Amino acid sequence: MRYLFFFLLLILFSCSQTPQKNYIEYIDPLIGTGPATTLAAKQHPGDHVSNGQTIPAVTAPFGMTQWTPQVYNTEEKCLAPYYQGRTVAQGFRGTHWLSGSCTQDYGSFTVCPSRFTNNFRFLPFQRYTMFLFKTENATPAYMSFLFPELNVMTEITGTKRCGFFRFSWLEEKQPAVIIDVNSDTNEGYIKIDLEKNEIYGYNPVNRIYQGQGEPAGISGYFVARFDKEFVKYGTIGNFNREENATEVHNIQNVGAYVTFAVPDNAPVKMKVGTSFTSIENARKNLDAEIPHWDFETTKQELENTWNEKLGSIDVETEDEGELTKFYTSMYHSLFHPRLYSDVNGDYPAFAQDYKIENASDFDYYGDFSNWDIFRAQMPLLSLIAPKEYNDMVKSLVIQAEQGNWLPIFPMWNNYTSAMIGDHSTSILTDAAMKGFDFDLEKAYKYMRKNAFETPENVDEYIDGKGRRALPSYLEFGYIPLEDEVEDAFHKQEQVSRTLEYAYNDWCVAQMAKKLDKTDDFLELSARALNYTNVFDESKGWMNGRFGDGTFVEDFDPTKEHSFITEGTSKQYSWFVPHDVEGLMALMGGEEQFSSKLNDLIDKKEYWHGNEPSHQIPFYFNYTGQWDKTQKTVKNILRTEYGLEPGGLSGNDDAGQMSAWYIFGAMGFYPTCPGSNEYQLSSPIFEKITLNLDKEYYPGGKFVISGKEAGLQTIFSKVKLNGKENSTSFSHSDIQKGGKLEFLK
């Protein structure tokens, strides 16, 4: 009877009026939370990149903090808070995990409902408790969990910066709530405020990559407010608890607990405000976003927010499996970059020690996984979330201005050069070419600085400012193998760096051209051809090259080498998105290019589980083999994306893997961000409508249609607004609105 009561409660709490089209019902938050079971994962077993690394999170799009069950209480690198398959949990985390990544969580804290009994289990490792996750009604706006042993149900909803919990105990025996500060470095602070019925605190953030272990100059702040008075209370630290204590800091296992009297099984509600600037601003965020105690209203508002955002792409199909893949991919693509500013505009100044700035006319964002997201996830956001995207671009420029260098891979509001390349330049160029509103001159100043200068202060360089190995690149036109790139997290990888810098130079050249900086345009355009300097004609692939001009002799293009990033030369040699025709000539012409491309695909050496390969399937268009592009893309959609927890073929990397699916399913892809050009495959749905924001897209709607479209359908021609079209089209065509029609 107890469990029947709880599940009747679940049904009751879950019933609410929904919009006419309820897109969130197609989201499965568990996809990507388990070891990958796709083709790419089988080809690369045991590698961490074969895990999706996503979390089932309640959050608003780009939310400051996500809310997810916790099965590990560490903020250790590459360990997500949750993995499907674990049947026990320690509570629910307010997390800043980079979804689908192998970085670290930071500034997090954990909430756990419990019972204050004689064997009160107050430490995370003591609290492992079997939990039931009602997955069939789990959405980004609401999740519910039952701890049968404790007879307590937890329901979660939230807002951009806040969480809202509803705890229901079946029995009145000393219900309690525990809050942990999740510091791996024995830092943090927590306080119980009896007058305000609050628990508040902070978790200081420490850096990894550049500045390993050093303070990041920010903390994760929280204020948890309850609707019931505290009966008993105490603090936790050094594996002990102290009754009637209200404050503790900077020791191991910092935490606090409170108990309640709940007659008639009344639920206890807890609202949590979060911030990266202060406890007071966490409280202001809470007061502004959840000023009431109406859980159902907050839940409905968050559902509406998600349905509005997801409805920016309306898909018509009878295949519910593909609808689930599509809208789950949109969910994953809308996690990052992360909102960092408070409701009053305050945000932590970039790469500075707890200094606060204020943005009055835009929201400030952080956590840009640029090496991943420049390819498809950011271009997707330019379509489906243009207001937020524009603010993200402004945020990158602000970061450059405050730190005096354009960041490479900005995380936890600091410089890192965690990956390779200089892809803030790609994101800024793509936004500028699309006509988004930000200070182009200021952006160009820092883009150019990254392209031409290295910090004079070696400490600044070590700290992550500037392109890695730029002096060698400028001297040789490539990065020779003698330069082992010691001051980087990814060391060596000289050939991959050379290829990416050539593309980055092309991007900066496009901005120079737009701003009439002719000399820079000419010089950077010449540098954009530096990819040719690491092409080994005798081997037919990109190869490691020494300073004397000779290439590596002991070379196998199908094997991993230290001069290639996360892959093989046969996979990375195709990364010349800005000059595919030039690459074709380098490889010996169209016939040889086509032969190599077909060989890569036919021998199953293409690796979808990692980003460097993502543009390759669309290269068949350059050799007149649009049918092969369609077959290849649709095969990837079919074999590399599934409906199970293992349904992502590699790290989702802040939504890049998922964004690839969305573009692939719609039938076009931005192979070269900054060019304003999309290469066509073909849609898997009969009708797709992009419902675009008219402030940024005057045409309002862009419709993609294809009779009998599906995962097996190959089309022979395409029409744009009634006129026969080639196998590419322009972003301006989307801006004007219209119809892209695929025909057999």
Side-chain angles (χ1 to χ4, degrees):
M1 286 298 293
R2 290 178 180 177
Y3 302 137
L4 176 61
F5 169 78
F6 270 118
F7 283 107
L8 285 173
L9 274 178
L10 279 174
I11 293 169
L12 176 64
F13 290 150
S14 300
C15 291
S16 59
Q17 188 176 358
T18 57
Q20 188 173 4
K21 196 156 187 178
N22 196 28
Y23 297 99
I24 63 171
E25 70 180 358
Y26 297 113
I27 291 173
D28 182 351
L30 291 179
I31 292 175
T33 62
T37 56
T38 65
L39 179 63
K42 293 172 184 176
Q43 292 173 326
H44 299 269
D47 195 316
H48 72 264
V49 299
S50 68
N51 290 315
Q53 295 284 93
T54 63
I55 55 174
V58 171
T59 183
F62 317 113
M64 177 178 284
T65 303
Q66 285 79 44
W67 311 94
T68 190
Q70 174 179 296
V71 298
Y72 297 110
N73 62 301
T74 178
E75 292 184 333
E76 181 182 335
K77 183 180 184 291
C78 292
L79 195 61
Y82 176 87
Y83 290 94
Q84 178 63 4
R86 296 280 293 182
T87 59
V88 292
Q90 301 169 330
F92 307 96
R93 185 183 294 196
T95 179
H96 305 118
W97 174 252
L98 185 74
S99 180
S101 76
C102 187
T103 60
Q104 65 173 7
D105 201 350
Y106 64 92
S108 72
F109 59 96
T110 300
V111 175
C112 184
S114 186
R115 290 191 181 277
F116 191 74
T117 60
N118 290 334
N119 63 339
F120 183 43
R121 296 178 296 178
F122 54 89
L123 294 170
F125 66 84
Q126 297 172 329
R127 295 200 309 258
Y128 275 119
T129 306
M130 187 186 80
F131 75 111
L132 302 177
F133 184 0
K134 192 168 175 60
T135 57
E136 59 267 33
N137 71 340
T139 75
Y142 172 82
M143 293 184 193
S144 57
F145 308 86
L146 177 66
F147 287 154
E149 180 184 346
L150 299 169
N151 287 333
V152 60
M153 181 172 71
T154 301
E155 300 168 274
I156 310 173
T157 187
T159 63
K160 288 181 180 179
R161 303 171 178 87
C162 305
F164 201 159
F165 289 71
R166 181 163 59 187
F167 305 112
S168 299
W169 285 267
L170 178 61
E171 299 170 314
E172 296 178 18
K173 295 178 183 175
Q174 296 290 343
V177 169
I178 304 164
I179 299 182
D180 306 313
V181 175
N182 297 329
S183 173
D184 289 336
T185 55
N186 303 332
E187 297 177 291
Y189 169 82
I190 201 164
K191 181 176 175 63
I192 303 169
D193 190 322
L194 300 175
E195 286 188 14
K196 293 181 178 178
N197 241 36
E198 292 179 349
I199 301 175
Y200 55 81
Y202 59 81
N203 182 2
V205 180
N206 291 292
R207 298 171 68 182
I208 62 172
Y209 307 131
Q210 281 64 44
Q212 175 76 34
E214 296 176 3
I218 61 169
S219 291
Y221 298 92
F222 64 90
V223 173
R225 185 180 301 158
F226 298 82
D227 72 336
K228 301 289 190 298
E229 290 186 4
F230 306 150
V231 175
K232 296 180 180 180
Y233 57 88
T235 59
I236 298 166
N238 284 341
F239 302 99
N240 297 306
R241 64 180 177 89
E242 185 174 350
E243 287 194 42
N244 301 322
T246 60
E247 190 172 15
V248 66
H249 64 93
N250 292 348
I251 58 176
Q252 195 170 4
N253 305 119
V254 169
Y257 65 91
V258 291
T259 74
F260 311 90
V262 286
D264 303 320
N265 301 318
V268 173
K269 297 176 186 176
M270 181 188 73
K271 304 183 295 187
V272 189
T274 67
S275 172
F276 288 116
T277 62
S278 68
I279 289 170
E280 185 55 37
N281 272 8
R283 188 174 287 116
K284 289 178 181 177
N285 291 340
L286 180 56
D287 291 340
E289 293 190 351
I290 317 180
H292 51 72
W293 286 102
D294 190 336
F295 184 92
E296 292 300 323
T297 292
T298 300
K299 173 175 174 280
Q300 185 65 65
E301 288 172 349
L302 187 53
E303 287 177 353
N304 293 344
T305 296
W306 273 106
N307 279 320
E308 181 181 357
K309 195 64 72 180
L310 296 169
S312 60
I313 306 179
D314 181 64
V315 170
E316 297 181 22
T317 180
E318 298 298 318
D319 189 334
E320 291 207 358
E322 290 303 327
L323 281 174
T324 295
K325 291 181 189 178
F326 190 89
Y327 286 109
T328 301
S329 294
M330 284 192 72
Y331 163 64
H332 288 150
S333 298
L334 290 164
F335 271 51
H336 301 292
R338 181 188 311 284
L339 178 64
Y340 252 73
S341 53
D342 299 317
V343 292
N344 64 1
D346 285 354
Y347 67 92
F350 184 71
Q352 298 181 48
D353 189 16
Y354 288 96
K355 181 180 178 182
I356 306 301
E357 296 285 353
N358 187 270
S360 59
D361 60 345
F362 74 101
D363 286 330
Y364 175 78
Y365 290 85
D367 287 355
F368 289 81
S369 186
N370 285 343
W371 185 79
D372 311 289
I373 64 177
F374 85 88
R375 304 165 197 269
Q377 191 261 354
M378 287 298 284
L380 177 66
L381 297 189
S382 76
L383 295 172
I384 65 176
K387 166 66 169 65
E388 294 90 341
Y389 171 84
N390 206 150
D391 285 355
M392 291 167 189
V393 170
K394 290 179 179 179
S395 298
L396 279 175
V397 178
I398 287 291
Q399 290 175 359
E401 187 175 28
Q402 292 176 354
N404 204 32
W405 290 87
L406 184 64
I408 302 293
F409 195 95
M411 294 293 299
W412 35 95
N413 212 40
N414 263 273
Y415 287 96
T416 83
S417 55
M419 293 301 295
I420 68 170
D422 182 15
H423 297 300
S424 288
T425 61
S426 172
I427 292 170
L428 293 174
T429 299
D430 198 43
M433 297 304 120
K434 290 173 177 174
F436 281 88
D437 178 26
F438 62 103
D439 192 330
L440 299 189
E441 285 286 354
K442 187 177 291 184
Y444 182 76
K445 170 185 173 182
Y446 294 105
M447 292 167 67
R448 188 188 190 283
K449 185 175 183 179
N450 272 25
F452 285 92
E453 300 178 33
T454 295
E456 294 181 6
N457 184 331
V458 68
D459 290 337
E460 285 192 318
Y461 180 71
I462 292 172
D463 197 48
K465 298 177 180 179
R467 293 187 186 182
R468 306 295 92 178
L470 181 65
S472 293
Y473 176 77
L474 295 179
E475 179 182 355
F476 293 92
Y478 61 95
I479 301 174
L481 298 182
E482 289 88 347
D483 187 341
E484 298 194 345
V485 201
E486 289 295 334
D487 294 315
F489 181 74
H490 277 232
K491 305 184 189 308
Q492 301 181 311
E493 304 179 9
Q494 299 92 337
V495 171
S496 295
R497 291 180 195 277
T498 299
L499 296 174
E500 298 202 13
Y501 285 166
Y503 164 66
N504 297 147
D505 288 341
W506 177 87
C507 289
V508 185
Q510 306 318 297
M511 280 284 275
K513 183 178 181 181
K514 186 175 181 68
L515 297 173
D516 295 322
K517 301 180 186 298
T518 304
D519 290 345
D520 282 358
F521 169 71
L522 293 174
E523 182 172 354
L524 288 160
S525 294
R527 280 171 48 176
L529 300 178
N530 280 346
Y531 71 89
T532 63
N533 296 331
V534 288
F535 185 78
D536 184 346
E537 291 186 8
S538 68
K539 302 292 193 297
W541 300 101
M542 305 295 175
N543 191 7
R545 192 174 186 183
F546 296 98
D548 64 4
T550 59
F551 286 96
V552 170
E553 285 297 326
D554 184 16
F555 171 76
D556 184 339
T558 67
K559 304 295 183 184
E560 293 189 2
H561 293 277
S562 62
F563 48 80
I564 297 292
T565 300
E566 296 181 2
T568 69
S569 179
K570 197 169 182 180
Q571 293 158 350
Y572 229 110
S573 290
W574 305 94
F575 189 78
V576 188
H578 58 291
D579 189 19
V580 179
E581 291 85 355
L583 178 63
M584 187 183 298
L586 205 60
M587 287 184 169
E590 182 176 313
E591 185 176 341
Q592 187 67 9
F593 179 92
S594 176
S595 175
K596 286 175 176 284
L597 193 55
N598 277 284
D599 183 67
L600 178 80
I601 299 300
D602 294 344
K603 288 184 177 178
K604 296 180 171 55
E605 292 172 321
Y606 169 84
W607 180 20
H608 193 68
N610 208 8
E611 281 72 19
S613 296
H614 278 187
Q615 79 286 351
I616 295 174
F618 298 86
Y619 281 4
F620 287 106
N621 286 0
Y622 291 88
T623 62
Q625 298 177 83
W626 181 39
D627 61 326
K628 189 64 180 281
T629 295
Q630 295 179 71
K631 290 174 185 175
T632 304
V633 169
K634 290 185 175 182
N635 183 61
I636 293 168
L637 292 171
R638 188 169 55 250
T639 62
E640 303 292 2
Y641 295 87
L643 294 170
E644 309 80 25
L648 283 176
S649 62
N651 288 179
D652 198 41
D653 285 320
Q656 166 59 27
M657 197 73 65
S658 292
W660 194 99
Y661 175 88
I662 293 167
F663 276 116
M666 291 195 297
F668 63 98
Y669 189 82
T671 55
C672 181
S675 68
N676 273 2
E677 182 179 85
Y678 299 101
Q679 289 294 325
L680 294 178
S681 51
S682 62
I684 66 171
F685 306 116
E686 290 203 358
K687 187 178 181 182
I688 303 160
T689 303
L690 276 65
N691 296 305
L692 302 165
D693 186 336
K694 285 193 174 183
E695 182 178 346
Y696 300 89
Y697 295 89
K701 290 184 184 294
F702 190 77
V703 177
I704 302 162
S705 68
K707 191 175 180 181
E708 299 178 17
L711 284 166
Q712 304 291 343
T713 309
I714 305 301
F715 295 93
S716 60
K717 62 181 177 179
V718 62
K719 289 184 176 181
L720 178 62
N721 296 327
K723 296 182 179 179
E724 195 159 336
N725 198 69
S726 68
T727 56
S728 67
F729 71 106
S730 172
H731 185 76
S732 63
D733 294 319
I734 296 179
Q735 290 172 315
K736 290 180 287 190
K739 184 175 183 179
L740 191 66
E741 185 179 10
F742 291 80
L743 304 167
K744 284 188 172 181

